[in-house]
Amino acid sequence: MTMSTASPISSHLSTPRFATPRSPHRESVGSEIAAIAALLGQPLLPWQRLVADVGGELLDDGRPAYRTIVLVVPRQAGKTTLTLSWMVHRAIRWGSPQNIVYTAQSGHHARKKFRNDQLPILEASRIRTAVERIYLAAGLEGILFKNGSRVEPLPSTASAMHGKTIDLAVLDEARFDKDNAREAGALPAMATRRDAQLLIVSAAGDIESTFLWDKVEKGRAAVENGVTDGIAYFEWSAPDDADIDDPLTWQNHPGLGHLITEETIAHARQTTKSVDEFAQEWLGIWSKAVETVITPAVWQKCQDRKAAPDGPLAFAVDVALDRSRATVAVCDRAGRVEIVESRAGMDWVAERIRALSRRHKAPFVVDGYGPAGTLVEPLEALGIAITRYTTRDVVAACGLFYDAIQAHTIKVRPNDDLDAAVASVKKRTLGAGWLWARNNVDVDITPLYAATLAWHNATQKKPEPVTRSFVL
């Protein structure tokens, strides 16, 4: 495969607020990363080239000068292109087979990014000839290159990297991390690899983004102190006191003039409901507000590891708008809720519901006018008793479930998928009431909906007693 150094599509470079400087006495693989980007049909923008040139610097013995690279950049700037080019460069140009992992705020998001964004770019490019095989089985996605290198998306848990040896780990969307679980999983897996690198990438966070804020503080300090080894830090953002309506402030966005226009940002300013959200996502100004419907402190008080539902029981199933995932939840009359199963695909749902129905003789609740409504007739054809909720029922369930959380009268067995849904959920007004909003495709809301309907049916509808208890 012939490679040539890619030239930026424009000479304009938005000034980073913080950036580790280039050490000109060092060699760098930045030009090779740029060439890979060109072969992918995604020539690097000036800001991307800056990060690649500095982050790609090599010591005299050939090791990367920076083992950790932290990048904080606004939305729509082109971080997908940069991270993909970095991963592919590692895979095919490092000289030996490389193990590369990509993670996001959850395994679901990582796999979605891999399938929908990264893989189409690779498959449509000239680099496709370097690929031996692409794996698409759910949970086993990955790319095997002809030279033996591998790229795979992984869950965000620390255990996901246990037992692996990793040469490059990408921690995308780090603003969603409340702890260092991903980094804690990656570092031991990189310990024996002399050339390993950790690439932490994200937009700005909020007061709950404790992991990323720690990296921001350390990165800014490294830049201010002139550190040029170990950690490289890059941040494009406007000052906290900047006028967010001034087009001059918008010049801090490194994608402006390349991927987006002033009109794009102006439209986002007009349509983004929250000023805080606009400043965070488009200008890199950290949010100081928590805008979640359910605060972490309140939700934490509802957590109970011993909250195993015990008959009588009510089950509920919910399905994502794009039918990419489904969740089954259960609740008893005491208000103890548990997620039975939540995973990708739809092929497992009917059989799981049939097994649970036969075992527990309990009702199954479905939002008859939601995405799971299409399951009603097939499930009834299997002889499963289905309770079909109307929109009015669902509105009532959401409101009462919310009230129960605020009053701490609900007990929930801890579940990562449910926690993620609760942390990100918004309300959608409907007449005099509201529903959990489904319009954010980046949030899997099915665990929350399933839990809500199961709880409502168990505690408000008073189903007939069942003698069997629930055991997962």
Side-chain angles (χ1 to χ4, degrees):
M1 181 181 299
T2 302
M3 297 177 58
S4 61
T5 301
S7 59
I9 63 174
S10 168
S11 61
H12 173 70
L13 171 63
S14 173
T15 303
R17 189 173 173 197
F18 297 90
T20 299
R22 176 79 168 90
S23 297
H25 64 281
R26 291 175 178 157
E27 293 185 6
S28 172
V29 296
S31 61
E32 293 187 10
I33 295 174
I36 291 291
L39 290 173
L40 289 170
Q42 309 281 320
L44 293 187
L45 304 180
W47 79 265
Q48 296 168 326
R49 182 61 188 268
L50 170 65
V51 176
D53 284 345
V54 177
E57 288 181 6
L58 303 176
L59 300 175
D60 292 341
D61 61 4
R63 289 181 296 120
Y66 301 101
R67 198 166 178 91
T68 298
I69 299 160
V70 180
L71 169 63
V72 182
V73 65
R75 287 185 58 189
Q76 302 301 319
K79 64 184 180 68
T80 296
T81 294
L82 180 59
T83 54
L84 178 60
S85 301
W86 211 300
M87 291 190 294
V88 173
H89 173 265
R90 266 282 176 158
I92 66 177
R93 295 289 296 177
W94 205 256
S96 62
Q98 300 285 293
N99 293 320
I100 302 149
V101 298
Y102 172 84
T103 67
Q105 61 266 49
S106 70
H108 168 66
H109 288 90
R111 293 190 298 271
K112 185 176 180 180
K113 188 76 171 180
F114 173 80
R115 284 175 172 269
N116 296 347
D117 296 337
Q118 298 170 348
L119 197 54
I121 294 174
L122 179 62
E123 289 189 302
S125 74
R126 293 165 56 191
I127 294 178
R128 180 63 177 85
T129 59
V131 174
E132 177 72 25
R133 185 175 178 183
I134 294 174
Y135 299 88
L136 294 176
L140 299 173
E141 293 91 343
I143 302 170
L144 174 64
F145 289 85
K146 291 179 179 178
N147 67 355
S149 293
R150 291 179 176 272
V151 174
E152 58 181 323
L154 290 181
S156 58
T157 59
S159 61
M161 301 187 202
H162 284 181
K164 293 184 178 294
T165 301
I166 297 173
D167 297 287
L168 173 65
V170 178
L171 278 54
D172 200 359
E173 299 292 1
R175 59 178 169 154
F176 293 105
D177 289 12
K178 303 300 187 293
D179 54 38
N180 69 335
R182 281 199 279 172
E183 182 183 47
L187 292 180
M190 297 163 52
T192 62
R193 310 300 284 181
R194 66 184 292 274
D195 296 341
Q197 283 187 304
L198 180 68
L199 184 57
I200 301 172
V201 184
S202 185
D206 56 32
I207 60 174
E208 293 190 317
S209 305
T210 53
F211 169 74
L212 180 60
W213 182 246
D214 177 68
K215 298 303 178 187
V216 168
E217 287 188 314
K218 291 177 179 176
R220 289 176 176 179
V223 172
E224 291 173 347
N225 293 328
V227 174
T228 55
D229 57 46
I231 178 173
Y233 182 75
F234 306 89
E235 178 187 332
W236 275 264
S237 64
D240 291 349
D241 59 352
D243 180 358
I244 67 171
D245 293 317
D246 186 347
L248 289 178
T249 301
W250 303 347
Q251 297 296 319
N252 291 281
H253 194 299
L256 186 65
H258 304 286
L259 302 176
I260 60 174
T261 64
E262 284 192 3
E263 288 74 17
T264 305
I265 299 180
H267 178 72
R269 178 67 181 92
Q270 293 170 351
T271 57
T272 303
K273 183 177 180 181
S274 165
V275 172
D276 209 51
E277 181 181 348
F278 170 79
Q280 175 187 345
E281 297 199 344
W282 290 91
L283 302 179
I285 299 174
W286 278 64
S287 170
K288 297 177 177 61
V290 178
E291 298 185 356
T292 52
V293 175
I294 303 169
T295 64
V298 170
W299 181 244
Q300 184 61 38
K301 290 181 180 180
C302 298
Q303 304 292 295
D304 185 353
R305 294 189 178 279
K306 298 180 180 179
D310 190 27
L313 304 171
F315 291 84
V317 60
D318 192 64
V319 175
L321 275 175
D322 61 1
R323 309 190 73 74
S324 62
R325 294 183 65 81
T327 298
V328 175
V330 65
C331 184
D332 62 14
R333 291 179 65 178
R336 292 175 292 201
V337 178
E338 184 172 355
I339 300 300
V340 178
E341 192 158 0
S342 181
R343 60 186 174 100
M346 293 292 297
D347 54 347
W348 61 274
V349 177
E351 186 57 38
R352 188 70 164 114
I353 290 175
R354 180 164 63 174
L356 291 168
S357 177
R358 287 179 175 178
R359 181 177 183 182
H360 301 285
K361 310 300 182 188
F364 255 91
V365 185
V366 173
D367 177 2
Y369 295 92
T374 57
L375 294 174
V376 173
E377 291 186 3
L379 292 176
E380 288 180 337
L382 294 174
I384 300 169
I386 299 296
T387 300
R388 188 193 308 233
Y389 268 31
T390 65
T391 302
R392 172 184 253 176
D393 292 328
V394 178
V395 168
C398 290
L400 291 172
F401 188 78
Y402 175 82
D403 292 343
I405 291 172
Q406 301 303 314
H408 311 140
T409 58
I410 182 174
K411 295 299 179 184
V412 181
R413 176 168 279 191
N415 177 270
D416 290 344
D417 293 320
L418 181 56
D419 289 347
V422 168
S424 303
V425 70
K426 306 293 183 184
K427 291 180 180 178
R428 179 171 74 87
T429 302
L430 187 66
W434 55 269
L435 299 168
W436 304 126
R438 292 184 183 271
N439 59 340
N440 187 349
V441 296
D442 292 328
V443 177
D444 176 21
I445 205 70
T446 62
L448 181 55
Y449 257 111
T452 299
L453 300 186
W455 173 87
H456 184 265
N457 194 268
T459 62
Q460 309 297 313
K461 294 291 186 177
K462 294 182 173 51
E464 291 299 317
V466 183
T467 57
R468 298 186 182 186
S469 63
F470 177 70
V471 180
L472 280 175

